[in-house]
Amino acid sequence: MRREPRVKTLRIDDCDCAGREDQTVLDVARENNIRIPTLCQINGLTNVGSCRMCLVEVKGVPKLLTACTTMVWEGMKVVTNSERLHEYRKMILELFFAERNHICAICVANRSCELQALALELGVDHIRYPYLYQALEIDSTHDKFVLDHNRCILCTRCIRACSEIEGANTLGMMRRGVNDKVITDLNQPWGESRTCTSCGKCVNVCPVGAIYEKGLSRTESRREHTFLPYLTIMRGER
Amino acid sequence: MRERNKARVATVWLDGCSGCHMSIFDMDDRLLELKDRIELVYSPLVDAKDYPKDVDVALVEGCIGNEEQRKFAHTMRASTKTFVSLGDCAVTSNIVAYRNPFKMHDVIHRAFIENSEGEIVLPQEDVPPLLPFAVPIHEIIDVDVYIPGCPPSADLIHYTLVELLEGRHPDIKNRFG
Ligand code: SF4
Ligand code: SF4
Ligand code: SF4
Ligand code: FES
């Protein structure tokens, strides 16, 4: 027998809210127009909680929780915007910039980039950490797309879109931590991939300028996100 | 001669393309208004050899890519009240950082041997040695104000200068790039 999801009441900042038990803190916050910054989360794909931008404080829980992967519970008290959270979010953003080679002035995603926009929103006006200046590759072997590892923030959105929506499972991740790398098939050049269908879903979900379409100028290469929620509906989930 | 009641301002061009200075020019007629409030004591535009003492505001374009600039940064810092990193090159090292993932030897080889026509001369004297990385200024010295942007707009530079002249700390919100 199908059980109706239960409703939970909770407090997010100054707002007394209600949410279904299968909703995340982020879902309920958004329904109530409470802004929590996010980066790896995108509607239509599974939430993995990898970027840590959406960290929130929950009363009685000693560690910070990611709003995008924490389900609501009864009586929960959530703080989304303390000075401490703001400082951590800035640190996370700065580490993204310091880890790879982001040169916004010449980037395809300049002015449509979610990392850049968050830096602006949270007041990151310089990077306090020394840059790593890693020598990273650019894979331009694919007919239509380019993968520039210099700008990848390892959010795995492309991997999830490729697997959960397109079902091609071309994209994956190898190694760990700062050595993480998005790979195609078994770390072959993308152009040699036999699983890639060239659908371009990865291009459209990438929050930064790491995957882009060849031969398009910055203004032409706008990302199209809106198709994702529809695809999940068509897939019959919710 | 020191001009009374005028703020002593320097503009400096380090490892950058001069685009940020072009943006300073873009203030157009507002430069004429500023002229009554500031004395330009050091700049690519004025004939001053050494960085002067008691500079109130320094607007510095470009990052730090060689030994001379590194030393100069310390000199500037010691004589400057408010040090402003102007533009992405100063703030993030921007396009200049393109060379950073490469080894210094390769960079020099590329510039002076691969790309040279005719006689190959490796720089020995007169040219300051490169640092292994071109770095944002704040990796070398303390910076007081950051203006991201490549280049930042004339409006933003004007706003920053006026705020500083009024003794306020400018509240700068501008994206990289
Ligand atoms: S991906 Fe975003 S943050 Fe990185 S260089 Fe491009 S515009 Fe800048
Ligand atoms: S390529 Fe883009 S979407 Fe894929 S992990 Fe990197 S930043 Fe995320
Ligand atoms: S920030 Fe941009 S405009 Fe300014 S010096 Fe650097 S490249 Fe030129
Ligand atoms: S958006 Fe929640 S961890 Fe990335």
Side-chain angles (χ1 to χ4, degrees), chain A residues 38-39 53 92-98 102 104 112-122 124 151-153 207-209, chain B residues 175-176:
Chain A
T38 55
L39 208 42
M53 278 308 293
I92 294 166
L93 285 178
E94 289 175 52
L95 288 168
F96 279 130
F97 280 101
H102 292 270
C104 300
S112 62
C113 169
E114 294 180 35
L115 178 64
Q116 190 191 43
L118 277 176
L120 180 66
E121 178 186 332
L122 300 191
V124 173
R151 301 171 185 150
C152 175
I153 57 167
V208 293
Chain B
R175 69 173 75 223
F176 299 117

Side-chain angles (χ1 to χ4, degrees), chain B residues 16-17 19-20 61 87-89 94-95 149-151:
Chain B
C17 77
C20 290
E61 162 194 324
D88 274 1
C89 290
N94 203 21
I95 43 172
C150 178

Side-chain angles (χ1 to χ4, degrees), chain A residues 134-234:
Chain A
Q134 299 191 73
L136 300 166
E137 308 138 52
I138 300 174
D139 184 345
S140 57
T141 56
H142 193 284
D143 285 347
K144 287 166 75 179
F145 314 125
V146 182
L147 171 53
D148 184 347
H149 296 283
N150 292 287
R151 301 171 185 150
C152 175
I153 57 167
L154 304 163
C155 69
T156 73
R157 279 194 196 181
C158 55
I159 299 173
R160 284 175 277 153
C162 185
S163 135
E164 295 173 16
I165 308 289
E166 181 62 5
N169 285 302
T170 304
L171 296 169
M173 184 78 87
M174 79 173 195
R175 303 205 201 98
R176 287 182 159 257
V178 83
N179 297 315
D180 260 359
K181 186 186 160 200
V182 170
I183 53 169
T184 41
D185 288 342
L186 297 169
N187 196 22
Q188 292 140 290
W190 198 354
E192 289 168 23
S193 166
R194 294 173 53 186
T195 58
C196 175
T197 61
S198 301
C199 71
K201 292 191 176 65
C202 50
V203 181
N204 284 300
V205 296
C206 183
V208 293
I211 301 189
Y212 56 93
E213 207 163 325
K214 277 189 180 168
L216 290 188
S217 71
R218 200 183 75 204
T219 36
E220 289 166 324
S221 55
R222 289 278 306 274
R223 317 257 158 185
E224 181 52 68
H225 290 163
T226 45
F227 70 97
L228 281 164
Y230 295 109
L231 284 169
T232 19
I233 292 167
M234 272 150 47

